[in-house]
Amino acid sequence: MSASDVGDGVKRAGLLIVGSVALDSVETPVGKVERALGGAAVYSSVAASFFSPVRIVGVVGEDFPKEHLDFLGSRNIDTRGLQVVDGKTFHWSGSYEGDMNEAQTIATELNVFQDFKPELPDDYKASKFVFLANIDPSLQLQVLDQIEDAELVACDTMNFWIDNKKDELVEVLGRVDILFMNDAEARQITGEVNLTKAADKLRKMGPRYVIVKKGEHGALMYCDGNTCFAAASYPLEEIADPTGAGDSFAGGFMGYVANTGELSDGNLRKAVIYGSTMASFNCQDFSLNMLQRLTPEEVDRRYNEFKRLVFFEEF
Ligand code: AMP
């Protein structure tokens, strides 16, 4: 099963994704964009849609350009769970400097997310695979309360919610199987500088798997008290905009897992590499521009390059 096999006519279960749908203003050393399409649910849904049908849950205001709704609808993404209401769309602005591994948040305007009550269409409730992308953990909990019998639930978050809604976030962690977090957030929430100790503490809070993303330094998957997989990140010569890299990683990972339905060690390793593949493409242009023009064949080619990059045999 690879990205270019999707669309082969086989009906597969979809992946439910809830999270921010945003207009982002971003500045990097390479350039800047104003109110461009963004949001954790958007990056992860588009990345996941290369592998699996997606059902997106979120909210936008009436200022959200119709072309963005049309773009999501043109992909393997069911947008019936995306509400359009009076008010302004979530807006995040941030900037990157130096190695671009960490965003400096300039402003977070929750806008329509402040009064959002997620209501899942009935057929979404039976979703077997669920990704709670970055958003208020209270909303992640409200979605979880409506899910009937999921096989695998994953979540992501960020420093903003660790600072402002830690109790709710801890409750979410108690109800998920997989946690995606970047290294700084794993250290922040646990108070542990050592990442292996931090991951161990996080696993004790609920998730069986903790996947720590380390920007250009790759990702570590922890399970059963060990580091069970270490993935490199793809060595890019130029990074235009890392916004959404973490979400694209999680979307690629979860889309691949939802489509294969297999939770074996070997399959989760492949999912990490598909996640790294989608994250690397995302960094090559601003907003969703790269994922928008990317083809499944290019995804498979880079996945195979990754295989060669990290391959080694025992002596
Ligand atoms: P990433 O670069 O993968 O960590 O995610 C970037 C995306 O997260 C941007 O498109 C933002 O719109 C979104 N974002 C930023 N802050 C928040 C927040 N507090 N809650 C939810 N999404 C956010």
Side-chain angles (χ1 to χ4, degrees), residues 19-24 37-40 43 90-92 96 103 105 107-108 110 133-136 156-161 182 185 213 242-248 282:
S20 55
V21 179
L23 295 175
D24 288 342
L37 176 61
Y43 282 107
F90 177 96
H91 176 239
W92 176 76
Y96 299 83
T105 292
T108 304
L110 295 175
N134 182 21
I135 195 56
D136 185 334
D156 191 3
T157 191
M158 75 180 288
N159 51 6
F160 185 86
W161 303 113
N182 73 31
E185 293 153 1
K213 301 163 290 176
T243 308
D247 311 313
S248 307
N282 179 66

Side-chain angles (χ1 to χ4, degrees), residues 5 15 26 33 42 49 60 68 82 103 115 198 270 279:
D5 293 333
L15 167 67
V26 175
V33 286
V42 172
S49 71
V60 294
H68 296 337
L82 187 56
D115 300 314
K270 286 186 190 168

Side-chain angles (χ1 to χ4, degrees), residues 277-312:
T277 301
M278 300 313 290
S280 71
F281 278 119
N282 179 66
C283 293
Q284 289 179 240
D285 203 340
F286 283 82
S287 180
L288 272 289
N289 295 344
M290 188 67 202
L291 295 190
Q292 222 157 352
R293 60 177 186 268
L294 186 65
T295 65
E297 291 71 27
E298 288 172 305
V299 172
D300 287 340
R301 213 171 305 133
R302 185 162 293 178
Y303 174 84
N304 286 323
E305 282 178 57
F306 254 116
K307 268 194 190 162
R308 277 194 295 280
L309 190 68
V310 298
F311 177 82
F312 75 100

